[in-house]
Amino acid sequence: ETGVTQTPRHLVMGMTNKKSLKCEQHLGHNAMYWYKQSAKKPLELMFVYSLEERVENNSVPSRFSPECPNSSHLFLHLHTLQPEDSALYLCASSQDAGVYGYTFGSGTRLTVV
Amino acid sequence: AQKVTQAQTEISVVEKEDVTLDCVYETRDTTYYLFWYKQPPSGELVFLIRRNSFDEQNEISGRYSWNFQKSTSSFNFTITASQVVDSAVYFCALSERYGGSQGNLIFGKGTKLSVKP
C-alpha cells in the first residue's frame, strides 16, 4: 500500500465508549498530524508528531489522546466524547516540516450519539 | 498572525465555464509556502500545488492555473473549461515554518465548487 491509510472510514460511538482511530503511512515521512474537520468550520490542527515526538497540541480536550508508536503509525484514542466531537478526522504526513505539503488520508467520519 | 481567507463559500458554474477561486493570506514571514488542496466527496485532501514566497511566476497545469501576487497577498486558482469532476471543496493553505521540526499548515475555510452538466 502507498500513501496514508486511515481506519475505520466510518465510526459511530456512544458517549461512554472508548475507540481508537488508526493512521498508517508508507511514504517514509517523518511527521504526522491529526486534523479535525467539522461542518462549516475550518480545518483544525489537533496534534503534530515529528520524529515520533509530540511537538504540538492545540488545546485539544483530554478526551482525545494521540499515540505515535513509530514513524509510520499514528493513533487517536477516543474516550467519553461529546456529540459536538462528531466530525471528519483527517490524518496527514509530511517530510521536512511540511514545506513540500502534506499527504492526507481519506479520513474517519465519526458520529457520537 | 498568519491567516488564510477564502471569501467564496460556494460557487456554482455550468460545465465548460471558467471559474476562479480566490485566496488571500496574511503572514509576517518573508519565507512561506502556499498550497491548494482539493477535497472530493470521498474526503481525502488531494495536493494540487505548492508555491514558495520567492517564486511569483504563474503556473499552469492542464486546465488549472494559479496566479500568485505578493503585492496583494493573493494566490488565486483558476479552472478553465470546468468539468463535473472538478466539483469538490478547494482549500488554500499557508505554511510559515521552514526547516524546523514542526510544519503547520494554516487552512482557509474552503470554497465548495459545484459544476453542473
Side-chain angles (χ1 to χ4, degrees), chain B residues 37-80:
Chain B
Y37 283 85
K38 174 182 179 181
Q39 187 178 36
S42 59
E44 179 180 353
L45 270 81
V46 178
F47 169 83
L48 294 179
I49 190 172
R50 163 186 174 266
R51 187 51 111 216
N52 76 55
S53 53
F54 298 108
D55 182 2
E56 286 193 74
Q57 208 168 17
N58 289 333
E59 181 152 341
I60 297 175
S61 176
R63 296 183 297 107
Y64 294 171
S65 63
W66 290 269
N67 183 357
F68 176 29
Q69 294 200 345
K70 285 179 78 172
S71 60
T72 55
S73 297
S74 65
F75 186 43
N76 296 338
F77 172 31
T78 297
I79 302 175
T80 303

Side-chain angles (χ1 to χ4, degrees), chain B residues 25-46:
Chain B
Y25 62 92
E26 293 176 29
T27 177
R28 283 179 284 191
D29 278 8
T30 55
T31 302
Y32 53 89
Y33 294 81
L34 295 163
F35 303 83
W36 275 95
Y37 283 85
K38 174 182 179 181
Q39 187 178 36
S42 59
E44 179 180 353
L45 270 81
V46 178

Side-chain angles (χ1 to χ4, degrees), chain A residues 9 31 33 35 37 41-43 45 48 50 55-56 58 88 90 96-106, chain B residues 33 35 37 39 42-47 50 89 91 95 97-109:
Chain A
R9 290 296 308 275
Y33 313 81
Y35 276 85
Q37 187 178 27
K41 279 189 174 183
L43 280 157
L45 177 66
V48 179
S50 177
V55 296
E56 192 153 335
N58 274 356
L88 179 68
L90 289 159
D96 298 332
V99 295
Y100 296 103
Y102 293 3
T103 302
F104 282 85
S106 298
Chain B
Y33 294 81
F35 303 83
Y37 283 85
Q39 187 178 36
S42 59
E44 179 180 353
L45 270 81
V46 178
F47 169 83
R50 163 186 174 266
V89 180
F91 291 92
S95 172
R97 310 267 178 101
Y98 175 66
S101 62
Q102 42 179 324
N104 186 357
L105 284 187
I106 306 300
F107 285 89
K109 292 185 178 182

